[in-house]
Amino acid sequence: MAFPHRPDAPELPDFSMLKRLARDQLIYLLEQLPGKKDLFIEADLMSPLDRIANVSILKQHEVDKLYKVENKPALSSNEQLCFLVRPRIKNMRYIASLVNADKLAGRTRKYKVIFSPQKFYACEMVLEEEGIYGDVSCDEWAFSLLPLDVDLLSMELPEFFRDYFLEGDQRWINTVAQALHLLSTLYGPFPNCYGIGRCAKMAYELWRNLEEEEDGETKGRRPEIGHIFLLDRGISVSDVDFVTALCSQVVYEGLVDDTFRIKCGSVDFGPEVTSSDKSLKVLLNAEDKVFNEIRNEHFSNVFGFLSQKARNLQAQYDRRRGMDIKQMKNFVSQELKGLKQEHRLLSLHIGACESIMKKKTKQDFQELIKTEHALLEGFNIRESTSYIEEHIDRQVSPIESLRLMCLLSITENGLIPKDYRSLKTQYLQSYGPEHLLTFSNLRRAGLLTEQAPGDTLTAVESKVSKLVTDKAAGKITDAFSSLAKRSNFRAISKKLNLIPRVDGEYDLKVPRDMAYVFGGAYVPLSCRIIEQVLERRSWQGLDEVVRLLNCSDFAFTDMTKEDKASSESLRLILVVFLGGCTFSEISALRFLGREKGYRFIFLTTAVTNSARLMEAMSEVKA
Amino acid sequence: MDCYTANWNPLGDSAFYRKYELYSMDWDLKEELRDCLVAAAPYGGPIVLQNRVLDARIFHTEFGSGVAILTGAHRFTLSANVGDLKLRRMPEVPGLQSAPSCWTVLCQDRVAHILLAVGPDLYLLDHAACSAVTPPGLAPGVSSFLQMAVSFTYRHLALFTDTGYIWMGTASLKEKLCEFNCNIRAPPKQMVWCSRPRSKERAVVVAWERRLMVVGDAPESIQFVLDEDSYLVPELDGVRIFSRSTHEFLHEVPAASEEIFKIASMAPGALLLEAQKEYEKESQKADEYLREIQELGQLTQAVQQCIEAAGHEHQPDMQKSLLRAASFGKCFLDRFPPDSFVHMCQDLRVLNAVRDYHIGIPLTYSQYKQLTIQVLLDRLVLRRLYPLAIQICEYLRLPEVQGVSRILAHWACYKVQQKDVSDEDVARAINQKLGDTPGVSYSDIAARAYGCGRTELAIKLLEYEPRSGEQVPLLLKMKRSKLALSKAIESGDTDLVFTVLLHLKNELNRGDFFMTLRNQPMALSLYRQFCKHQELETLKDLYNQDDNHQELGSFHIRASYAAEERIEGRVAALQTAADAFYKAKNEFAAKATEDQMRLLRLQRRLEDELGGQFLDLSLHDTVTTLILGGHNKRAEQLARDFRIPDKRLWWLKLTALADLEDWEELEKFSKSKKSPIGYLPFVEICMKQHNKYEAKKYASRVGPEQKVKALLLVGDVAQAADVAIEHRNEAELSLVLSHCTGATDGATADKIQRARAQAQKK
């Protein structure tokens, strides 16, 4: 049941080197401030830091106490303070308030700010405006790639999504380019590059510039990874690709993420899962043998698998009976530990499953999934709309309601004006007027729009032309006028066969295609595109799709000679998601890899899901 | 052969010194050398003559070149690095009334000291103190030191006394090497060390007006006659001597040359050289010599010796004959790695080129290796000998970035200073020559052009710069900020864009600044993001400028809960927002905002009248709170005022009353009119509160379509089965079947199966 890799599947490169690099660099930076010091860490950096250097390593380098960066005065009495932060303006103001308070009290200490992954000029500007630029020393910790698993690298930059796709702020693109540059210096050049999306293209070009500037460094190295594929979370301007991220996840890993929130590769299982009075932090990756076998499975198979596993385990325990002393000694010293470990993991995942089931039945999960599938297929739109309305009226969940509204809008190419108004009104009545701003954000991002064809297009068009130069804007106008009125999503899903026609029941135990990650209802667009391009080794023959995605200017391929690449490396593919990817997409591509004898490696700005996406768009009262 | 050693002079038993002419001086010198203060840089470096200068010494450390100055007040001032001129005054020397008879700079452990002689005493001066020192084993009777010299490596020191006695020892003054009495009491004009790495016999060269003496640890010295005023320049491996008419080099004969050329030498290199000569004469002696070397198994060594010796020869003819011998010897060796031979040929070719008196850099092989090719190229570039430098790079096949491109860039920087050539011509000439050579920074050249006051030329040159990011800093400097902005945007580097933005902000008035932003969406987004966190007022101005009423509305909405605290302020902010939304033709948002104003006022009133917390609740929650508080009338009123749809109201009331467990009121409510949401929700909610009794009441009222579901909810599987069978609905049947668990439902399950079978028969 758990899919084994094909025997000819290529080996993955060793990414633990990235961790060592980051750790060494951090230690170097800490040593730059010799002597005892207190370390202030931004909350968002705590989990990633924990994966790189634990407390005892920090203590070895004379870090005395650890504090969280929060809006409270610091109680530290140390003479040296070190701040480890993301380059955000609010952090600068926090640091400034500390330093200025010290100044008022006539106290002098040493301050060092370490920006991760890089510092921005705007931050230094704020330090200067606050009058403390001369009092602090600034450094950069270029830690931008965290290996969360053997095949998953995360930049842990969830704000990338909102910054770029909502605010049009491009500052993180350079960070991505630098991360790619680091990968190519460590793992050799990539002989084949593909990409689609505006952001992907920009990142690609910046990366190329970096490579050219440091010409010769990667030249002559054997490529370890044969292909790289860059794509935007919102590939097209009409954002049909968001559909994937908006659907409920039903593959185990995705479901765990949706239910418990996987943070930086680990999850906090509460008492309801651990069946004790304590919460437990559990790392979820390939090292967890039980998890590794069920992570990519449709949820309906997981229980069966786990109970089979439990029976096997019991059988192994049972072998003890009838053992003589020597065999028993052997058993205790060699097998028992492994069995106990497996036992522990098994009961954890069974607990997690139960907890998921309980939550899902309470929310009438079946009903929800049915609605989602109806939306994807474009049936019973009225019924779905009333379902959403009821969902809002009953205050089931603000984020879920928003997600369903967006799904309806994207699949239908915008809501009809009446629904657009009434759903919004209902939502505001349920959750408060500040969500006027949320709706304004969603409209700007193209996630929730109104269906007056002329108007809608103009709105999207003006949104797009704001992002590009005048020349490109003209082209886009042309593209828009050539667009038919019908739903873009339908056209694309038809063209790419995203919604497979199934005769009879879709057998989730033996998946036939990537659609299994959504219960057979939908193949993630991003994954389908990757599949198609890899098959052709180019965008050739996909012109219509590219046109529908409005990406004629942003789809690219770049092939160099492959003579140096081994056949093994040519079956390794690095997929770069700009703006985040979901566990469902990861599972789908892992499936594709097994089918075709590839192995995929994922690099994402952050792992995302529908809730994170919606939260990024929401305005909440602070 | 014999005449070759004619200029060799033995010093002691083991070493020879020789002096040869580098080239004759072709300078147009008017003064005598004695009238000038002379400074000359080592490594065949340039010579400077000056006729009026304070007494100063230049010294070299790991950190660069330093300078020590003796001031008129007999105080010493020292700077460790002339590049970064920080003068340090040294402590006073007690009792120093006149200039010391001689002084020098010693460098030990990276610290520079000054050693000076006053009468019979020696003092060592460092940053902190001045202490008297005595060299070990100094002959008695000294009443004054006339000269002192430190070796090139700062390891050795020589002192010349008024008794004509020379003391030679370590610079630490801890050890004596040797001494010599020359019996000349006249003060020497100059005294320098002449030694080389791995020297067999270190020597000191002393110069008087017409006499040059080389002394070492030997009873006899070597003496030369000087025909005219001469000046000595100590080098790494010898001493340069120049006068008005000649330029000579004096050094200890290097080991390899000595082995080969020593009279009657039987060294393998000497034999090989001989063999090769005989071979050229077509004499069979060649074979004898060769055999002799081979029998001793020394052919490899012989070849190496010849190659090495070639490096130390100044005359190309001699170099050639040695290399020819090496090449000849190589033929008889199986596996002699060719590198050393090839490199020596290349190095000698370079050296011969720069030694030419037109260039005038008389480097020896050892100096050249110490100096490195990069520094030599720098020197050529400084002397604007660009073609030669490029030829050398090409000849040595240096990588373009370190070699040709670098030199071309220097050339271009020089070119832009030619003011008599027009901007177009200079730009074109530079681009023609440089093209797209990697490693050439057009922006550096442009910066140089701007430095010479040629702004237009600088802009033209920047056009050739492929990396737009590189163009920005200079464009800013030249006050072409708008151009800089588009280049920064092109580069994709947001920090660069931000830098330019701040420049523009200070340079332009606010209106122009905003106009510029308007045309650059990428920069605008960036600036907006900054303003959102740091300059909210500016953000508002930005929206105003753009007539972006939609965003302006949003801005005030945010202010209504984030910035304002008093209710009046909040309502006012909302009013402004609503006005903006109207202007943006966003009627929906305007109406919603007005509703919110009403709600806020009302919530305020409710708090005043009823107590409790109402402010900031959503409309839905406000109504719920009212019902939970038992204010049903108020709740109804509110629902009417805000046109809450029936469906929502029913859900809301149902949930709230169930929460209150007010079953009586719930039943009354359910009968108030026909439920717009049906009765299934009633069943659901009652079950959620675990009230099966109430739930059953409503289950009977559920319409036929949802009847089965309702019955299942209250747990009446049997009746659900009956209804499903009656409906003949397959989906319902399987739903009921899936609820048939345990023994009690066995009969029901059978019933369904039967019904199914029957349906299939039909």
Side-chain angles (χ1 to χ4, degrees):
Chain A
M1 136 145 180
F3 328 105
H5 283 290
R6 286 186 12 172
D8 61 345
E11 285 284 314
L12 291 168
D14 173 20
F15 291 114
S16 60
M17 197 197 302
L18 292 167
K19 278 194 195 177
R20 287 200 299 276
L21 264 178
R23 180 167 54 224
D24 291 351
Q25 208 198 344
L26 178 67
I27 289 171
Y28 173 80
L29 290 172
L30 289 174
E31 292 289 325
Q32 299 287 91
L33 194 63
K36 282 222 175 301
K37 59 223 152 217
D38 283 355
L39 186 61
F40 289 69
I41 308 167
E42 173 159 14
D44 287 359
L45 272 170
M46 281 184 160
S47 302
L49 176 69
D50 199 43
R51 300 290 295 265
I52 295 300
N54 55 25
V55 175
S56 70
I57 290 182
L58 296 178
K59 297 261 166 186
Q60 273 169 31
H61 299 279
E62 300 189 85
V63 170
D64 197 13
K65 288 198 191 84
L66 292 168
Y67 294 90
K68 197 157 117 186
V69 169
E70 52 193 348
N71 268 331
K72 273 194 239 159
L75 301 164
S76 165
S77 58
N78 215 303
E79 285 314 301
Q80 305 199 89
L81 306 184
C82 189
F83 301 87
L84 183 59
V85 292
R86 291 264 183 243
R88 294 175 180 147
I89 287 173
K90 76 173 181 11
N91 290 329
M92 298 306 106
R93 284 216 294 267
Y94 168 74
I95 293 168
S97 72
L98 281 187
V99 177
N100 283 325
D102 278 356
K103 275 188 182 171
L104 266 180
R107 183 161 188 191
T108 45
R109 317 198 226 197
K110 267 197 178 168
Y111 313 92
K112 184 186 192 68
V113 185
I114 301 177
F115 293 96
S116 179
Q118 67 181 101
K119 75 182 164 204
F120 287 127
Y121 184 61
C123 290
E124 290 179 296
M125 251 275 304
V126 174
L127 291 179
E128 201 179 325
E129 277 180 8
E130 302 278 342
I132 61 155
Y133 188 67
D135 302 292
V136 300
S137 61
C138 294
D139 257 312
E140 285 181 337
W141 182 30
F143 163 49
S144 56
L145 288 171
L146 175 66
L148 288 181
D149 208 336
V150 285
D151 60 353
L152 174 59
L153 309 174
S154 168
M155 298 184 69
E156 292 295 307
L157 283 177
E159 62 254 63
F160 183 101
F161 176 68
R162 184 174 165 130
D163 280 354
Y164 179 77
F165 290 99
L166 181 62
E167 313 279 6
D169 182 341
Q170 303 177 357
R171 63 197 167 138
W172 295 115
I173 298 178
N174 215 356
T175 319
V176 173
Q178 265 159 17
L180 293 176
H181 182 53
L182 176 67
L183 281 181
S184 66
T185 28
L186 292 178
Y187 302 99
F190 299 91
N192 302 297
C193 302
Y194 322 89
I196 186 161
R198 217 183 115 73
C199 182
K201 190 159 188 204
M202 274 164 51
Y204 176 74
E205 278 165 6
L206 285 179
W207 170 39
R208 273 290 103 107
N209 287 349
L210 284 177
E211 305 266 292
E212 270 163 33
E213 268 170 47
E214 281 172 51
D215 212 18
E217 246 181 65
T218 56
K219 260 189 203 156
R221 276 208 56 171
R222 266 176 85 91
E224 281 187 52
I225 303 166
H227 309 262
I228 181 169
F229 204 118
L230 291 96
L231 68 175
D232 289 14
R233 173 71 278 164
I235 294 179
S236 80
V237 280
S238 46
D239 301 317
V240 290
D241 170 50
F242 283 120
V243 168
T244 310
L246 288 173
C247 287
S248 294
Q249 306 196 68
V250 286
V251 162
Y252 184 63
E253 190 165 10
L255 202 48
V256 171
D257 190 30
D258 276 358
T259 320
F260 304 101
R261 295 255 172 153
I262 299 177
K263 205 171 136 200
C264 208
S266 68
V267 67
D268 275 318
F269 280 139
E272 78 278 10
V273 174
T274 56
S275 45
S276 67
D277 49 356
K278 270 184 292 185
S279 284
L280 199 62
K281 195 172 168 185
V282 183
L283 266 184
L284 292 180
N285 57 30
E287 271 167 40
D288 178 340
K289 292 282 175 290
V290 176
F291 176 67
N292 198 34
E293 285 187 84
I294 52 175
R295 66 196 306 185
N296 301 314
E297 287 288 332
H298 189 273
F299 189 63
S300 59
N301 299 338
V302 172
F303 245 135
F305 173 82
L306 289 178
S307 54
Q308 179 59 43
K309 191 98 189 160
R311 278 196 294 279
N312 291 348
L313 199 63
Q314 189 58 49
Q316 277 179 289
Y317 272 124
D318 288 346
R319 281 194 301 122
R320 283 178 300 181
R321 291 180 207 143
M323 279 182 184
D324 58 32
I325 290 200
K326 197 174 166 200
Q327 284 171 321
M328 186 62 109
K329 198 174 154 197
N330 230 353
F331 175 82
V332 171
S333 65
Q334 286 172 12
E335 286 175 53
L336 194 60
K337 202 176 155 212
L339 289 179
K340 275 195 168 158
Q341 165 78 355
E342 207 173 323
H343 185 156
R344 196 182 62 86
L345 292 171
L346 201 54
S347 58
L348 261 179
H349 288 294
I350 291 174
C353 281
E354 279 174 346
S355 174
I356 291 172
M357 289 287 270
K358 225 182 266 168
K359 279 184 189 154
K360 294 298 170 190
T361 37
K362 214 158 67 190
Q363 283 174 16
D364 223 346
F365 196 52
Q366 288 310 326
E367 221 28 54
L368 186 74
I369 296 279
K370 228 172 82 189
T371 309
E372 279 180 25
H373 289 186
L375 289 176
L376 288 169
E377 290 181 49
F379 294 144
N380 299 338
I381 295 306
R382 282 277 28 105
E383 218 170 274
S384 301
T385 312
S386 348
Y387 176 83
I388 297 172
E389 195 169 354
E390 193 188 300
H391 204 269
I392 298 169
D393 286 349
R394 296 176 58 188
Q395 291 187 311
V396 179
S397 146
I399 290 295
E400 289 265 283
S401 298
L402 216 48
R403 171 172 82 83
L404 290 169
M405 286 162 80
C406 291
L407 199 56
L408 174 66
S409 164
I410 294 173
T411 51
E412 287 298 299
N413 221 23
L415 305 182
I416 55 170
K418 192 177 123 279
D419 291 342
Y420 185 60
R421 265 151 227 248
S422 82
L423 286 179
K424 281 202 302 184
T425 310
Q426 295 309 314
Y427 196 87
L428 293 177
Q429 289 190 354
S430 272
Y431 299 112
E434 62 272 19
H435 289 289
L436 259 184
L437 303 183
T438 307
F439 290 128
S440 155
N441 289 344
L442 287 170
R443 204 183 68 162
R444 195 139 46 105
L447 282 166
L448 184 60
T449 52
E450 192 174 352
Q451 205 186 59
D455 290 359
T456 319
L457 278 184
T458 328
V460 179
E461 188 189 324
S462 75
K463 171 210 154 200
V464 176
S465 14
K466 264 184 209 160
L467 286 170
V468 297
T469 54
D470 296 342
K471 211 169 73 190
K475 277 192 198 159
I476 284 166
T477 313
D478 296 346
F480 269 96
S481 40
S482 73
L483 259 185
K485 273 188 201 172
R486 70 201 168 115
S487 158
N488 222 349
F489 173 72
R490 301 256 172 273
I492 287 171
S493 59
K494 205 171 150 214
K495 191 85 208 154
L496 284 173
N497 193 21
L498 297 182
I499 295 165
R501 293 273 152 257
V502 194
D503 303 320
E505 195 88 338
Y506 189 101
D507 187 358
L508 292 166
K509 282 210 169 68
V510 192
R512 294 178 312 154
D513 54 24
M514 294 188 278
Y516 90 93
V517 299
F518 291 118
Y522 172 65
V523 178
L525 174 67
S526 52
C527 304
R528 179 69 98 205
I529 288 180
I530 291 169
E531 178 194 28
Q532 295 292 313
V533 172
L534 283 177
E535 226 163 66
R536 296 169 166 79
R537 290 285 184 92
S538 77
W539 292 97
Q540 229 165 32
L542 294 170
D543 312 345
E544 178 68 11
V545 176
V546 171
R547 197 184 62 77
L548 282 169
L549 289 168
N550 261 318
C551 275
S552 307
D553 287 341
F554 308 124
F556 56 92
T557 354
D558 185 5
M559 320 266 237
T560 48
K561 268 185 271 161
E562 286 185 353
D563 44 4
K564 272 197 195 141
S566 63
S567 72
E568 182 157 344
S569 73
L570 284 175
R571 283 181 290 126
L572 275 178
I573 300 139
L574 176 71
V575 184
V576 183
F577 287 93
L578 300 160
C581 76
T582 62
F583 281 119
S584 295
E585 286 167 302
I586 293 178
S587 289
L589 286 176
R590 282 179 184 148
F591 171 83
L592 181 69
R594 276 186 300 270
E595 292 285 295
K596 309 260 176 183
Y598 300 136
R599 278 196 90 172
F600 286 94
I601 301 157
F602 308 93
L603 193 173
T604 177
T605 49
V607 176
T608 191
N609 61 16
S610 56
R612 293 192 190 99
L613 213 63
M614 290 296 107
E615 280 160 9
M617 291 288 162
S618 292
E619 289 291 328
V620 249
K621 284 188 209 176
Chain B
M1 187 89 199
D2 286 6
C3 64
Y4 182 81
T5 53
N7 64 347
W8 288 22
N9 300 285
L11 184 70
D13 299 331
S14 59
F16 295 92
Y17 275 74
R18 69 172 168 187
K19 184 167 74 110
Y20 55 79
E21 182 166 18
L22 295 163
Y23 47 78
S24 58
M25 292 304 227
D26 208 10
W27 58 11
D28 184 21
L29 197 63
K30 291 188 186 71
E31 309 92 332
E32 287 298 317
L33 273 182
R34 88 184 97 200
D35 299 329
C36 303
L37 230 144
V38 183
Y43 296 105
I47 297 161
V48 180
L49 304 183
Q50 264 234 317
N51 37 20
R52 233 176 295 152
V53 124
L54 290 164
D55 198 5
R57 300 272 193 282
I58 291 171
F59 59 98
H60 309 275
T61 64
E62 290 95 324
F63 308 113
S65 302
V67 63
I69 298 161
L70 174 61
T71 64
H74 309 304
R75 288 288 295 267
F76 288 94
T77 305
L78 196 115
S79 166
N81 190 347
V82 283
D84 170 27
L85 210 58
K86 272 187 201 146
L87 290 176
R88 275 185 90 147
R89 239 174 136 192
M90 306 294 271
E92 217 169 326
V93 182
L96 186 62
Q97 294 301 325
S98 58
S101 55
C102 58
W103 63 280
T104 190
V105 181
L106 299 179
C107 290
Q108 274 163 1
D109 302 330
R110 300 178 172 192
V111 184
H113 305 274
I114 288 169
L115 182 71
L116 64 147
V118 183
D121 304 315
L122 286 174
Y123 295 99
L124 195 61
L125 203 56
D126 61 20
H127 289 305
C130 169
S131 48
V133 284
T134 329
L138 185 73
V142 175
S143 59
S144 161
F145 293 91
L146 301 181
Q147 269 293 356
M148 55 176 76
V150 195
S151 67
F152 196 80
T153 54
Y154 291 92
R155 263 193 232 127
H156 301 106
L157 176 73
L159 301 165
F160 190 97
T161 71
D162 58 346
T163 52
Y165 164 85
I166 302 170
W167 180 92
M168 286 170 264
T170 57
S172 58
L173 287 164
K174 291 210 173 99
E175 208 183 309
K176 183 168 95 170
L177 290 175
C178 60
E179 57 185 17
F180 185 83
N181 210 325
C182 69
N183 296 320
I184 301 175
R185 287 170 175 254
K189 234 181 67 186
Q190 226 186 335
M191 176 168 80
V192 299
W193 279 88
C194 177
S195 66
R196 61 172 164 86
R198 288 184 299 281
S199 166
K200 286 201 252 177
E201 187 64 66
R202 279 172 228 288
V204 167
V205 182
V206 195
W208 287 268
E209 288 297 320
R210 286 291 176 262
R211 192 206 299 260
L212 192 73
M213 190 183 274
V214 183
V215 301
D217 189 10
E220 293 297 324
S221 65
I222 307 170
Q223 305 226 8
F224 297 98
V225 174
L226 293 175
D227 298 328
E228 46 185 344
D229 281 352
S230 296
Y231 186 81
L232 310 180
V233 187
E235 291 279 2
L236 170 75
D237 56 348
V239 178
R240 272 194 294 152
I241 305 161
F242 66 87
S243 68
R244 256 177 89 99
S245 56
T246 70
H247 197 167
E248 293 173 307
F249 189 65
L250 168 72
H251 70 149
E252 182 184 338
V253 176
S257 312
E258 191 186 323
E259 290 273 338
I260 292 176
F261 293 116
K262 211 153 107 179
I263 295 165
S265 167
M266 294 296 278
L271 293 176
L272 181 59
L273 185 62
E274 208 57 32
Q276 198 270 338
K277 278 186 180 157
E278 294 300 332
Y279 172 73
E280 263 178 25
K281 283 191 231 155
E282 298 180 6
S283 150
Q284 97 290 356
K285 271 191 185 167
D287 183 52
E288 280 170 29
Y289 283 122
L290 209 54
R291 215 179 281 275
E292 199 176 330
I293 310 173
Q294 275 171 324
E295 268 163 21
L296 291 167
Q298 289 177 326
L299 190 52
T300 308
Q301 199 193 339
V303 174
Q304 278 164 348
Q305 254 176 11
C306 287
I307 294 173
E308 202 190 324
H312 295 300
E313 288 312 311
H314 189 69
Q315 291 305 325
D317 286 345
M318 198 40 105
Q319 295 163 1
K320 276 184 203 158
S321 78
L322 283 162
L323 287 173
R324 230 178 274 128
S327 165
F328 176 69
K330 252 159 45 95
C331 300
F332 300 94
L333 282 169
D334 266 352
R335 272 197 200 89
F336 187 83
D339 306 21
S340 58
F341 182 78
V342 173
H343 288 153
M344 183 56 79
C345 292
Q346 288 176 339
D347 289 341
L348 281 175
R349 184 134 187 226
V350 172
L351 282 174
N352 290 338
V354 299
R355 280 171 186 167
D356 184 281
Y357 76 101
H358 286 110
I359 309 296
I361 304 181
L363 276 180
T364 66
Y365 182 75
S366 322
Q367 290 168 20
Y368 168 64
K369 284 288 141 184
Q370 183 74 21
L371 194 66
T372 73
I373 181 70
Q374 296 304 341
V375 181
L376 178 61
L377 287 173
D378 283 346
R379 285 193 168 187
L380 292 175
V381 163
L382 275 175
R383 293 185 194 186
R384 295 192 199 133
L385 296 165
Y386 305 110
L388 179 62
I390 288 178
Q391 271 169 9
I392 290 178
C393 291
E394 282 170 352
Y395 174 65
L396 293 179
R397 295 205 189 107
L398 294 182
E400 284 205 330
V401 178
Q402 304 165 25
V404 176
S405 329
R406 198 166 61 106
I407 291 155
L408 281 174
H410 279 288
W411 165 78
C413 288
Y414 168 66
K415 187 83 186 163
V416 297
Q417 294 166 24
Q418 295 180 343
K419 302 223 169 173
D420 48 336
V421 189
S422 78
D423 291 344
E424 276 84 35
D425 291 348
V426 173
R428 203 176 321 115
I430 288 176
N431 184 239
Q432 257 168 19
K433 211 152 243 165
L434 271 61
D436 293 330
T437 324
V440 168
S441 161
Y442 277 98
S443 51
D444 287 353
I445 303 168
R448 186 63 68 89
Y450 177 64
C452 305
R454 301 181 75 168
T455 312
E456 286 310 313
L457 175 59
I459 291 174
K460 283 202 170 62
L461 287 168
L462 276 181
E463 293 290 313
Y464 296 119
E465 173 65 59
R467 288 162 302 168
S468 30
E470 296 289 313
Q471 307 174 356
V472 174
L474 186 61
L475 286 172
L476 280 183
K477 229 195 220 165
M478 300 193 298
K479 304 237 182 310
R480 307 284 160 129
S481 315
K482 285 185 190 171
L483 189 56
L485 184 60
S486 23
K487 293 291 178 189
I489 290 169
E490 235 172 75
S491 81
D493 181 344
T494 47
D495 265 9
L496 207 55
V497 177
F498 202 79
T499 324
V500 181
L501 280 182
L502 291 182
H503 253 268
L504 281 170
K505 193 180 162 194
N506 294 332
E507 203 177 285
L508 304 174
N509 67 39
R510 215 167 164 83
D512 290 347
F513 176 54
F514 286 172
M515 278 309 281
T516 314
L517 281 180
R518 205 173 180 176
N519 299 324
Q520 297 286 6
M522 185 264 200
L524 179 61
S525 310
L526 195 70
Y527 191 63
R528 253 195 222 142
Q529 281 281 81
F530 175 74
C531 290
K532 253 180 207 170
H533 295 285
Q534 191 69 2
E535 287 178 16
L536 274 177
E537 281 306 303
T538 315
L539 186 66
K540 198 170 78 185
D541 295 348
L542 266 173
Y543 292 142
N544 261 324
Q545 167 89 12
D546 280 359
D547 288 333
N548 190 342
H549 298 294
Q550 173 63 35
E551 287 300 329
L552 217 47
S554 299
F555 178 88
H556 288 292
I557 293 269
R558 194 173 292 113
S560 81
Y561 59 81
E564 296 287 344
E565 288 193 3
R566 291 171 316 116
I567 194 90
E568 296 79 12
R570 297 182 60 176
V571 171
L574 287 170
Q575 184 63 59
T576 326
D579 294 348
F581 285 136
Y582 277 123
K583 278 190 200 150
K585 298 208 168 52
N586 186 345
E587 221 144 287
F588 173 83
K591 285 260 152 45
T593 311
E594 283 170 349
D595 278 350
Q596 175 58 16
M597 287 161 60
R598 269 203 299 152
L599 183 64
L600 260 186
R601 288 204 193 97
L602 191 86
Q603 284 173 333
R604 179 52 175 279
R605 207 161 56 233
L606 288 174
E607 282 192 3
D608 287 349
E609 290 170 16
L610 306 175
Q613 173 86 40
F614 283 97
L615 272 178
D616 283 331
L617 293 182
S618 70
L619 179 62
H620 185 109
D621 293 341
T622 311
V623 178
T624 306
T625 314
L626 282 173
I627 294 175
L628 289 177
H631 309 288
N632 283 335
K633 282 261 164 56
R634 291 264 193 164
E636 304 263 341
Q637 185 62 41
L638 203 63
R640 270 197 303 280
D641 286 355
F642 284 89
R643 287 191 302 280
I644 293 183
D646 255 6
K647 276 188 183 174
R648 169 189 292 276
L649 191 63
W650 275 69
W651 271 111
L652 189 159
K653 266 191 136 172
L654 165 61
T655 319
L657 290 174
D659 276 351
L660 282 175
E661 300 192 25
D662 189 346
W663 307 115
E664 203 178 315
E665 185 66 30
L666 183 63
E667 194 169 351
K668 250 203 301 193
F669 169 59
S670 77
K671 286 176 180 160
S672 62
K673 65 180 204 182
K674 189 171 177 288
S675 162
I677 55 173
Y679 293 93
L680 186 63
F682 282 77
V683 182
E684 276 176 33
I685 300 279
C686 289
M687 284 310 288
K688 244 182 210 164
Q689 300 288 344
H690 308 291
N691 192 333
K692 204 173 191 171
Y693 175 76
E694 289 292 328
K696 275 188 173 166
K697 272 194 208 164
Y698 299 107
S700 60
R701 292 166 67 185
V702 171
E705 278 168 31
Q706 292 175 316
K707 196 85 174 184
V708 174
K709 256 191 178 171
L711 288 169
L712 286 176
L713 268 174
V714 298
D716 195 341
V717 183
Q719 215 193 324
D722 290 345
V723 176
I725 292 168
E726 196 182 306
H727 284 174
R728 293 189 185 148
N729 182 324
E730 180 52 39
E732 283 181 2
L733 283 172
S734 24
L735 184 68
V736 179
L737 204 54
S738 72
H739 276 74
C740 288
T741 49
T744 46
D745 300 328
T748 318
D750 289 347
K751 204 168 160 189
I752 294 173
Q753 298 294 14
R754 272 201 306 281
R756 264 188 172 170
Q758 236 171 9
Q760 263 162 9
K761 259 185 225 161
K762 281 174 194 168

